[in-house]
Amino acid sequence: MIPGSKENHPSFRKSFGFAIQGFRFAVTSERNIKVMLGGFVLAVVAGLVVGLDAARWGVVLLCCGVVLSAELINTSIETIVDLVSPEYHPLAGRAKDIAAAATWVLCAFVAFAGIIVIGSAAIEKFL
């Protein structure tokens, strides 16, 4: 579709369907998305165990959503790089490595935030 053109523009419902299709594809084909979803489940279980309040739930869920989104963006970048450069090229590899590093850095900071949020709730509940 040409930007700004309304010709052949999918409906909102169809666009939403494409997004769900992309998410399903990523979940079924990408190991790291499964790892991130596992982390999400672990964070929710930990939050239920320590009895997070609404503000802490907001932080945990926002962090989980941001990590999942970053991993989806990383996957899309890697897919585009593979399309444009099917054979190995140092710049293609560098682009993929940098995209992966961005996700890794975000995950590290989210892990620290999770330790602080869930840890402080656990201390309040159990000590």
Side-chain angles (χ1 to χ4, degrees):
M1 187 180 103
I2 299 171
S5 168
K6 293 188 181 196
E7 227 175 276
N8 297 326
H9 192 68
S11 66
F12 178 76
R13 177 179 280 162
K14 205 171 214 181
S15 294
F16 191 75
F18 291 146
I20 297 296
Q21 179 181 330
F23 185 76
R24 281 186 188 154
F25 178 79
V27 168
T28 58
S29 65
E30 295 294 323
R31 179 198 59 199
N32 287 346
I33 294 288
K34 293 174 188 162
V35 171
M36 302 302 173
L37 287 172
F40 170 70
V41 170
L42 184 64
V44 169
V45 169
L48 291 171
V49 168
V50 300
L52 295 180
D53 60 25
R56 287 177 172 149
W57 272 118
V59 170
V60 168
L61 294 176
L62 181 62
C63 284
C64 289
V66 169
V67 166
L68 285 171
S69 294
E71 187 58 43
L72 290 167
I73 292 167
N74 177 47
T75 299
S76 68
I77 289 169
E78 289 181 352
T79 302
I80 291 168
V81 169
D82 290 345
L83 173 68
V84 174
S85 182
E87 64 283 338
Y88 176 76
H89 190 282
L91 290 177
R94 188 178 305 161
K96 291 170 72 169
D97 291 348
I98 292 169
T103 303
W104 178 79
V105 167
L106 177 64
C107 287
F109 278 91
V110 165
F112 292 135
I115 290 167
I116 292 167
V117 169
I118 294 173
S120 66
I123 289 170
E124 288 174 10
K125 181 173 183 167
F126 298 116
L127 294 182

